[in-house]
Amino acid sequence: MARQIFAGRKIRHLRAQLGLTQVAMAGQLDISAAYLNLVEHNQRPLSRKLQKKLESVLPVKEGELSGGEEARMLSALEELFSDPLFDRNRPGGATLGDFVAVHPEICRAVLKLYRAFRNAREDRLKARESLSADPYFADTSHKLLTQLTSIRSFAEILQDNDDLSDHQRGRFTDVLVDESKKLTLMVGELFDFINGESLESSSLSETPTDEVVDMLSVNDHYFPELEDAAEQLRERIGNPQPYGLFDALVHYLDEQLGISVEIVPVTTQPSLKKGMWELEGEDGGVLRLMETLSVSSLVFRLARVVAEVAYADVLEKTLARGHVSSDEARRLCLKALGSYFAGALMMPYAAFRQAALELRHDIDLLRRRFRVGFEQVCHRLTTLQKPQEEGVPFHFVRVDLAGQISKRFSASGLRIPRYGVLPAQWGVQDAFLKPGRISTHSMRAEDMAIYFSITRTVTKPGTMVGQAGNTFAVSLGCEVSFARHMVYADGLDFTHPDSVLPPVKK
Amino acid sequence: MPQTVLVVEDEPHIVDSLSFLMKKAGFDVFIARDGDAALRMVESCPPDLMLLDIMLPRRDGFDVLKSVRSNPAWRDIRVILLTAKGRDVDRLKGMELGADDFVTKPFSTKEVVRLVRQHLGVEEKTA
């Protein structure tokens, strides 16, 4: 069933801008003024037919009245204003709705600002926690208090006791001088420690993998140059349907780049240089791919090679916008950008975003429509951040059986740990108990926000006969105000958090 | 006969200042630099009051307090804990284990003397 559209506020605002009365505009639309009044007050949904008519009368782009983006923005703003920060000046729902309809650009900026504020607030809390747990800091605090106690005690004794002997007075004064000197030294060390920590956090603590995640994050997970390049390539290869993409890319590689593609039997020895694939020769040559790869993985590899060979300048230019500290970080960032290009080629932005909204993020249906893998769909969904044409802000995380994180992207605001094992509370590892099936999970994160997610296992094929593939659990989630856009959240009542959160274990 | 105060503290300058203050207030003072030494002194010569630091070498102040409170013969010994500023949890734990009071480092010398007098039922001397 199609989603009902309510765009009353926007229509009312645009009509007023044109200086038209309801009666005048109803006349142009060939409907009654009473009906237009109901539509403007969201008492009636907007029919497809009326939407088309309105698009010809009002200064809007095609599809702008669908209200999807407006609804998502309103959800996000309602969540923003539920922050205790706004306890004393929280605008009502109707005010917010009007504001979204009339000033979408300002709403977008406010949301971006709030996301940045929330991240900064969490960083501060984390820094405080890590400092108070640091053994050096704990030991130094104890020493400082001890020295201050000595200094205060003797200062008060000297002040309160006129009858001290010269010997006592001299001894107590010496203590004051000695302890003050020690205190000065210790404060100096403490400053060095704090400066050292900040230096470390700004450079040394970054691993090359962190730099990739940071590069994606700084760019809001969206790279317009790569979207354009992928679009350009699609046109050059004749805008193939998803099931024709493999042949089109093989042809392009051969004809335009002089690279022939070989699908290699799994019995080939020795195995391929990069496990599942290898490219022999820089300029022209042979691209060998293991036969065990799924069609979607084969297409993905082909697309990435095209990106790295034919669009190397675009990848380099995109990378040059940020800062990378090492050759390894640079290599990984270029690889991530190549993968982004491949995803954009296989799932073109506008078509994929529209399908995602229409199919309410049903991952299996999206997989079938675009002939891609589960993980590829999840990953692409995190990149739908084109200004004014955003998708739902998702986070994505992939872990192995031990809970070790091997991929993480977050556009949802959820802070995914940089290191180590994902907490069991996230429910991601539970996917291993039901391989291949989608599970849903809700949790309250450290920032007190509630996140809804789906989790499923994915298995990478082995590279030799009889070798089992590696299985991972992938999780795709969003902040609960967006959960209603996911088919998997149907029936859950997020207005009552206790009904969706797992019970607390005692 | 003067009442006795056992100062249990490992930091020499704090021992020095507390010892001066207690003597000046008219008490006999004994000193223990760690938890084990404190219990040996309590056993050999139970004091009327202990000024007990929490962070001590070998056996910490909580352990000493538990041992003192577990022996009925030492039930009447008053115990004032010396806790660090910002460690509210230490104060709560100490009171739970049976301490009579606490002072927070860096403490006011007048406050320490006032508390010791109060717990030992000694009127403050008037000039």
Side-chain angles (χ1 to χ4, degrees):
Chain A
M1 195 180 130
R3 180 172 60 89
Q4 291 194 325
I5 298 169
F6 293 95
R9 288 189 184 94
K10 187 156 197 151
I11 296 167
R12 200 164 67 234
H13 170 64
L14 292 169
R15 178 176 58 75
Q17 273 191 332
L18 291 175
L20 287 173
T21 62
Q22 272 186 347
V23 174
M25 196 161 96
Q28 287 187 27
L29 296 167
D30 200 20
I31 58 171
S32 72
Y35 184 68
L36 178 61
N37 185 51
L38 290 171
V39 169
E40 285 194 356
H41 288 87
N42 290 334
Q43 301 291 310
R44 291 286 183 281
L46 192 59
S47 68
R48 189 57 62 96
K49 198 174 153 192
L50 183 56
Q51 186 187 340
K52 290 278 171 210
K53 280 187 186 175
L54 280 163
E55 280 171 1
S56 66
V57 172
L58 297 171
V60 289
K61 283 184 279 183
E62 195 182 328
E64 199 177 324
L65 291 175
S66 65
E69 195 193 350
E70 215 169 284
R72 279 194 303 285
M73 209 186 288
L74 185 60
S75 290
L77 278 177
E78 280 168 353
E79 171 62 20
L80 182 161
F81 283 109
S82 69
D83 191 305
L85 187 70
F86 301 105
D87 272 352
R88 290 188 179 183
N89 41 12
R90 182 168 293 131
T95 314
L96 278 182
D98 287 340
F99 200 67
V100 168
V102 180
H103 299 296
E105 299 83 8
I106 295 178
C107 292
R108 256 179 233 114
V110 167
L111 286 171
K112 198 167 183 176
L113 192 64
Y114 178 70
R115 234 175 268 151
F117 159 74
R118 208 164 73 173
N119 287 345
R121 182 168 64 183
E122 282 164 35
D123 284 346
R124 191 171 60 86
L125 286 173
K126 279 192 191 329
R128 197 166 67 188
E129 277 168 27
S130 87
L131 196 60
S132 60
D134 189 287
Y136 170 79
F137 189 75
D139 182 53
T140 306
S141 307
H142 174 69
K143 284 182 183 160
L144 280 174
L145 276 177
T146 301
Q147 273 154 5
L148 280 171
T149 305
S150 299
I151 291 170
R152 180 172 179 182
S153 299
F154 283 111
E156 287 182 4
I157 288 170
L158 285 165
Q159 186 183 41
D160 296 341
N161 296 276
D162 296 334
D163 54 348
L164 294 175
S165 67
D166 286 347
H167 172 71
Q168 280 176 320
R169 193 167 287 279
R171 194 161 64 83
F172 295 168
T173 310
D174 286 347
V175 172
L176 278 184
V177 173
D178 285 349
E179 291 297 284
S180 302
K181 279 181 186 164
K182 279 190 210 161
L183 194 63
T184 310
L185 273 176
M186 196 164 287
V187 169
E189 278 176 21
L190 198 60
F191 278 128
D192 287 346
F193 170 73
I194 291 166
N195 290 337
E197 281 289 293
S198 56
L199 199 68
E200 204 169 306
S201 65
S202 68
S203 60
L204 303 179
S205 66
E206 297 286 353
T207 65
T209 314
D210 286 338
E211 290 196 46
V212 176
V213 175
D214 290 346
M215 175 197 68
L216 295 172
S217 190
V218 163
N219 288 283
D220 283 339
H221 299 250
Y222 174 70
F223 295 91
E225 306 93 328
L226 300 181
E227 298 284 351
D228 290 347
E231 202 58 47
Q232 186 196 67
L233 178 65
R234 281 189 72 79
E235 279 175 27
R236 290 187 72 179
I237 59 177
N239 279 316
Q241 291 296 311
Y243 41 80
L245 198 50
F246 177 80
D247 287 341
L249 284 172
V250 169
H251 185 71
Y252 179 83
L253 279 160
D254 190 23
E255 290 287 310
Q256 303 295 324
L257 307 177
I259 296 172
S260 61
V261 177
E262 275 179 26
I263 303 295
V264 178
V266 71
T267 45
T268 301
Q269 289 295 337
S271 55
L272 302 181
K273 283 177 199 156
K274 303 216 174 181
M276 305 302 285
W277 69 288
E278 68 181 19
L279 178 61
E280 202 177 282
E282 292 277 310
D283 193 11
V286 184
L287 172 61
R288 295 192 184 87
L289 298 159
M290 192 68 88
E291 67 175 347
T292 50
L293 284 168
S294 63
V295 174
S296 58
S297 296
L298 287 171
V299 173
F300 184 83
R301 290 286 163 209
L302 296 179
R304 225 179 79 186
V305 170
V306 171
E308 285 165 5
V309 177
Y311 291 88
D313 57 333
V314 182
L315 300 189
E316 291 283 355
K317 207 172 138 192
T318 308
L319 184 62
R321 284 213 316 259
H323 167 77
V324 283
S325 67
S326 66
D327 287 346
E328 177 61 2
R330 188 184 144 72
R331 191 185 68 77
L332 290 177
C333 283
L334 285 173
K335 192 174 148 188
L337 294 175
S339 297
Y340 185 104
F341 176 94
L345 184 74
M346 296 166 78
M347 293 163 272
Y349 194 97
F352 184 74
R353 175 177 174 266
Q354 192 184 348
L357 292 171
E358 269 175 20
L359 302 174
R360 300 190 57 231
H361 302 91
D362 184 318
I363 309 293
D364 281 325
L365 292 182
L366 285 167
R367 286 179 62 190
R368 292 196 180 96
R369 183 167 292 185
F370 291 90
R371 306 285 157 186
V372 288
F374 189 89
E375 188 177 335
Q376 288 171 336
V377 171
C378 293
H379 191 175
R380 182 62 170 148
L381 285 171
T382 65
T383 67
L384 298 181
Q385 301 299 322
K386 184 177 181 179
Q388 306 197 25
E389 285 177 48
E390 292 99 339
V392 168
F394 281 115
H395 60 259
F396 169 75
V397 61
R398 190 179 82 175
V399 301
D400 63 15
L401 196 56
Q404 287 285 344
I405 302 164
S406 53
K407 277 188 183 176
R408 57 187 164 88
F409 307 100
S410 182
S412 70
L414 175 67
R415 302 291 296 203
I416 302 173
R418 279 190 170 235
Y419 309 104
V421 174
L422 207 59
Q425 181 217 350
W426 287 43
V428 181
Q429 286 103 309
D430 293 352
F432 291 109
L433 301 173
K434 291 182 269 181
R437 284 175 53 193
I438 292 177
S439 326
T440 62
H441 187 76
S442 303
M443 68 154 186
R444 193 187 287 280
E446 285 172 55
D447 60 359
M448 297 312 284
I450 299 174
Y451 293 88
F452 172 77
S453 60
I454 58 163
T455 307
R456 210 200 78 165
T457 54
V458 292
T459 300
K460 307 288 174 192
T463 53
M464 289 185 291
V465 175
Q467 185 192 41
N470 288 327
T471 298
F472 299 91
V474 296
S475 174
L476 177 80
C478 59
E479 205 275 333
V480 288
S481 14
F482 298 97
R484 64 198 170 85
H485 297 293
M486 291 182 86
V487 68
Y488 309 99
D490 287 355
L492 295 177
D493 179 7
F494 290 104
T495 51
H496 297 96
D498 288 343
S499 70
V500 295
L501 292 173
V504 178
K505 287 178 186 162
K506 292 186 178 167
Chain B
M1 191 176 153
Q3 298 190 84
T4 52
V5 173
L6 173 61
V7 175
V8 189
E9 166 67 67
D10 61 325
E11 172 54 39
H13 292 319
I14 298 179
V15 170
D16 225 8
S17 65
L18 285 173
S19 177
F20 173 87
L21 291 166
M22 294 303 114
K23 280 180 192 161
K24 180 95 182 164
F27 304 113
D28 275 354
V29 180
F30 299 94
I31 290 158
R33 307 277 184 168
D34 61 54
D36 286 342
L39 285 177
R40 282 197 301 274
M41 295 195 78
V42 169
E43 210 157 310
S44 62
C45 180
D48 295 301
L49 184 143
M50 292 171 78
L51 282 171
L52 177 62
D53 186 29
I54 287 174
M55 289 183 73
L56 293 168
R58 282 190 276 283
R59 186 192 288 262
D60 71 17
F62 292 128
D63 253 14
V64 174
L65 178 60
K66 269 191 263 182
S67 300
V68 170
R69 288 294 176 245
S70 65
N71 187 337
W74 300 335
R75 189 184 301 156
D76 294 334
I77 299 176
R78 301 280 177 265
V79 178
I80 296 176
L81 289 177
L82 306 176
T83 65
K85 188 173 170 55
R87 295 282 306 173
D88 284 352
V89 64
D90 286 351
R91 176 175 58 79
L92 294 172
K93 186 176 170 185
M95 300 306 274
E96 185 65 27
L97 290 174
D100 294 285
D101 223 322
F102 67 95
V103 285
T104 306
K105 288 180 183 176
F107 47 75
S108 140
T109 50
K110 288 193 183 74
E111 178 66 4
V112 177
V113 174
R114 189 190 66 76
L115 274 179
V116 171
R117 282 196 171 122
Q118 179 190 312
H119 284 284
L120 291 178
V122 178
E123 289 291 316
E124 193 170 351
K125 287 178 200 167
T126 46

